[in-house]
Amino acid sequence: FPVQSRICIAAGVNSVLRTLGGPPKSAKELGAFRSHCLHYLAFCIDMKFTDDMGLEGHAIERCNWQLALYAVHLATGNALACRSIKAATIVKYLLSIAKFCARRNQRDPRKAEQTDRGSAPIIQGVLDEVKRWEDVPDRREAFTIEMLDYMTSLLLENPDLYGQDSFLAVMVDYAGAGLYDGFRLSEWAQPNGHADIKNPQLNFRGEPMAFCLQDIRFLSGAKVRIPIDHILTLDSRSSEVGRTFIRYRTQKNGENGEERQHIRNHNTTVPCHVTNMMRIVQRFDRLVGLQHNIPLSVYRHTDGTVRNITASIVESTFRMAAAHVYKLDPVKDSEHLRKWSAHSIRVGACVILHGMGFSITQIKFLLRWKSDAFFAYLRNIAGLAHQQNRALDKTAAMPHFI
């Protein structure tokens, strides 16, 4: 090499020489190592960690925190394939970064003390959280606002394919309302085999289990009841309708016949329970008329018949949305995609409330739980991390807080 290059390449030469003592690296292993390093550097640039991407001059605490944040980045769908990965794969990414950083500093940036056998507590905490979620039996992935946005855009951009009475229009309305209430499948749709509107799933009283027309009430903001006939004449976002009451015919918690209230959300960029329920009732009238004891979740099939939404339609729609939003391959990632089901609405509602700081009591009440079973759905999402940041910011401003 030229004399002027020797100082610049000294660290790289030492790094190459250190690899000679170990087992030979396959082309696949070298490719993965290179990809991991480039992905990490892109993360550093995005996060403005450009002051020392190789973690050569920073204190070990900064190194631990930077890799912990990178682990969170990987765990939340930002790996090379743009999807969530398992804890064991995150460990491999971090190992590649540790080897990369060893070019200039022999210390391991994953460890709080170099004599420790494991990773620093803040890194291990992220890995443990990912493992905990992996170990939840038969867990379901959450239905998210991003998935709803994609479904809505698909509906609006393809009016000839998906009309206002299509299955997708029904799914958008019920998914939007479901993120408020955490709907169970039996409360709004039908199990497979019950697509015929004359053959709904029945409760112990011989009545349809899912919402019917008589289970919905609309009121003005001043709590004056509005007749269904008048609802049919209004735009779904009309300020004349300010509240809905929805009755749960049959609930898993045993509180059959319970009513829940919702008020209009005037933020047009997010779902509104009142708007969704108005569209559902208006569609029901177009398709079957104002009939009682027929579930509201009906749609017009491509063959012209009117059918009930069933579990298979819910699953295929959610999985289609998840594949698009989270860059999942329908074939290669089929096992992961199966984790989205009708129950994903309930999981999504729970995760949103928890992430926004609602108390355990509030979550149980709003989503109609009597037990603490919902704990299995919770995840240490980025929203909670932002709340921790704000808490520490406030604490720092109060001397002698503890």
Side-chain angles (χ1 to χ4, degrees):
F1 295 104
V3 175
Q4 62 269 26
S5 301
R6 293 176 185 173
I7 295 177
C8 299
I9 66 174
V13 170
N14 290 334
S15 180
V16 171
L17 292 175
R18 280 198 295 273
T19 66
L20 298 179
K25 303 294 188 299
S26 68
K28 182 177 180 180
E29 290 175 320
L30 289 173
F33 172 77
R34 176 179 176 274
S35 297
H36 292 169
C37 292
L38 291 175
H39 186 266
Y40 165 74
L41 293 175
F43 163 78
C44 290
I45 292 171
D46 289 342
M47 296 296 107
K48 314 300 183 187
F49 293 151
T50 53
D51 52 341
D52 186 6
M53 293 190 288
L55 300 176
E56 176 184 7
H58 285 303
I60 195 64
E61 290 82 3
R62 159 71 184 269
C63 300
N64 295 164
W65 269 101
Q66 190 155 320
L67 291 191
L69 291 171
Y70 182 55
V72 171
H73 183 69
L74 293 170
T76 50
N78 296 290
L80 284 166
C82 297
R83 58 188 175 97
S84 299
I85 56 179
K86 293 185 175 181
T89 307
I90 295 176
V91 169
K92 292 180 181 179
Y93 273 78
L94 297 181
L95 176 60
S96 295
I97 306 313
K99 291 179 178 178
F100 171 75
C101 293
R103 293 174 51 190
R104 295 182 176 277
N105 194 322
Q106 290 296 310
R107 68 184 180 183
D108 189 334
R110 299 170 298 170
K111 297 182 178 181
E113 299 289 343
Q114 294 304 296
T115 55
D116 292 346
R117 298 185 62 181
S119 299
I122 57 172
I123 297 176
Q124 192 60 48
V126 176
L127 297 175
D128 289 345
E129 176 63 22
V130 176
K131 290 177 183 176
R132 183 188 73 82
W133 180 242
E134 291 172 4
D135 293 338
V136 173
D138 195 29
R139 75 185 189 277
R140 295 297 182 209
E141 292 286 0
F143 181 80
T144 62
I145 290 290
E146 291 79 9
M147 292 170 62
L148 179 60
D149 287 344
Y150 171 69
M151 290 164 53
T152 303
S153 65
L154 195 62
L155 179 65
L156 296 176
E157 292 168 7
N158 299 275
D160 295 335
L161 183 60
Y162 303 112
Q164 61 180 345
D165 297 333
S166 66
F167 77 90
L168 185 59
V170 178
M171 291 298 303
V172 166
D173 286 333
Y174 272 103
L179 286 178
Y180 284 92
D181 283 334
F183 291 153
R184 298 179 176 91
L185 175 71
S186 62
E187 295 167 349
W188 70 279
Q190 302 296 314
N192 293 329
H194 291 265
D196 188 339
I197 64 172
K198 296 180 180 179
N199 181 35
Q201 184 182 29
L202 304 179
N203 61 19
F204 60 92
R205 291 189 294 266
E207 302 170 342
M209 293 184 67
F211 303 127
C212 295
L213 188 62
Q214 61 267 39
D215 299 319
I216 312 298
R217 292 192 292 131
F218 295 96
L219 287 78
S220 68
K223 301 184 180 180
V224 176
R225 186 162 186 170
I226 302 174
I228 292 294
D229 289 341
H230 188 53
I231 293 295
L232 301 178
T233 68
L234 299 174
D235 182 84
S236 60
R237 290 201 173 274
S238 170
S239 59
E240 187 175 339
V241 185
R243 302 169 186 264
T244 56
F245 281 84
I246 185 167
R247 178 166 64 101
Y248 289 84
R249 294 172 156 244
T250 308
Q251 295 197 80
K252 187 176 179 180
N253 64 12
E255 298 292 335
N256 301 326
E258 179 184 17
E259 271 196 331
R260 289 299 178 92
Q261 175 183 199
H262 292 277
I263 63 173
R264 181 173 292 283
N265 188 338
H266 294 284
N267 182 351
T268 58
T269 64
V270 297
C272 171
H273 195 283
V274 177
T275 296
N276 292 139
M277 296 312 299
M278 287 182 67
R279 288 201 297 243
I280 287 168
V281 169
Q282 291 167 350
R283 180 183 303 110
F284 182 78
D285 176 62
R286 288 194 300 271
L287 296 179
V288 301
L290 297 181
Q291 299 187 49
H292 293 277
N293 293 318
I294 295 179
L296 289 171
S297 56
V298 294
Y299 73 102
R300 188 176 296 283
H301 192 267
T302 53
D303 64 7
T305 60
V306 176
R307 303 184 184 185
N308 289 321
I309 292 289
T310 57
S312 60
I313 295 175
V314 180
E315 291 170 357
S316 61
T317 305
F318 284 177
R319 290 168 188 174
M320 174 269 295
H324 177 86
V325 172
Y326 301 114
K327 313 301 181 187
L328 300 174
D329 185 276
V331 177
K332 295 179 181 179
D333 302 308
S334 60
E335 182 178 354
H336 188 192
L337 284 170
R338 281 196 292 271
K339 297 184 184 299
W340 275 276
S341 71
H343 204 63
S344 294
I345 290 182
R346 194 155 178 79
V347 178
C350 178
V351 171
I352 288 172
L353 293 181
H354 180 243
M356 293 307 297
F358 281 67
S359 69
I360 292 172
T361 302
Q362 289 173 319
I363 293 174
K364 290 173 69 173
F365 174 76
L366 291 172
L367 302 185
R368 300 167 289 112
W369 262 297
K370 280 194 171 181
S371 70
D372 293 335
F374 71 91
F375 275 108
Y377 300 150
L378 303 183
R379 279 169 284 181
N380 194 2
I381 58 175
L384 293 176
H386 288 307
Q387 286 190 21
Q388 284 182 308
N389 288 347
R390 290 194 294 270
L392 289 174
D393 290 343
K394 292 177 181 178
T395 301
M398 292 185 256
H400 310 299
F401 179 78
I402 298 178

